[in-house]
Amino acid sequence: VQLQASGGGLVQAGGSLRLSCAASGGSFSRYGVGWFRQAPGKEREFVAFISWSENWQYYGDSVKGRFIISRDNAENTVYLQMNKLKPEDTAVYYCTADSRFHKDSLWYRRLWEYNYRGQGTQVTVSS
């Protein structure tokens, strides 16, 4: 499976963007998908996760209440709707996917637990 993130850009604080993570080379429907971001000089940060069944969505503390993750398995795409953007949301955003069973219920928060990772898309929020 190949992942391609898109939808980044420049937006003013308080604005919105919707990122897309499109999968190719196989069905996406059995993969849990996560979004991570990395700002210059900072460690990579967990942003959001959605299970393959859509039954579970989880968010990093810094984006809770502002970001919404969703998916369209028929389109092999996962979305990240980002609202009320802040300058500190500026980062390169990456989508990741994994289909394996994980015993640790918090595995989705760790980037190395995913076996597929796409190229990032830049999000810049101006103040």
Side-chain angles (χ1 to χ4, degrees):
V1 172
Q2 292 81 46
L3 305 178
Q4 179 64 54
S6 62
L10 174 64
V11 64
Q12 287 190 329
S16 298
L17 279 176
R18 189 176 79 159
L19 305 184
S20 298
C21 176
S24 60
S27 174
F28 208 25
S29 62
R30 292 292 180 174
Y31 286 78
V33 176
W35 284 96
F36 290 78
R37 68 186 183 186
Q38 187 164 23
K42 295 189 177 181
E43 293 190 356
R44 204 159 290 185
E45 177 187 12
F46 166 72
V47 176
F49 171 83
I50 188 166
S51 64
W52 67 268
S53 63
E54 302 181 70
N55 286 345
W56 296 279
Q57 295 97 43
Y58 303 110
Y59 298 92
D61 289 342
S62 60
V63 307
K64 275 181 187 175
R66 299 187 298 122
F67 290 12
I68 300 171
I69 190 170
S70 63
R71 67 189 301 159
D72 184 339
N73 285 336
E75 295 293 328
N76 266 6
T77 302
V78 169
Y79 302 99
L80 184 68
Q81 178 66 43
M82 307 188 296
N83 302 317
K84 299 179 182 178
L85 283 161
K86 304 175 182 180
E88 50 265 43
D89 294 317
T90 295
V92 177
Y93 285 70
Y94 301 87
C95 61
T96 57
D98 196 84
S99 61
R100 299 167 296 179
F101 171 75
H102 297 263
K103 290 179 64 176
D104 183 352
S105 61
L106 296 179
W107 71 269
Y108 58 87
R109 299 181 70 91
R110 298 186 288 266
L111 180 61
W112 62 88
E113 298 278 12
Y114 294 82
N115 57 357
Y116 296 100
R117 188 183 313 177
Q119 292 185 325
T121 184
Q122 175 71 46
V123 171
T124 303
V125 184
S126 63
S127 57

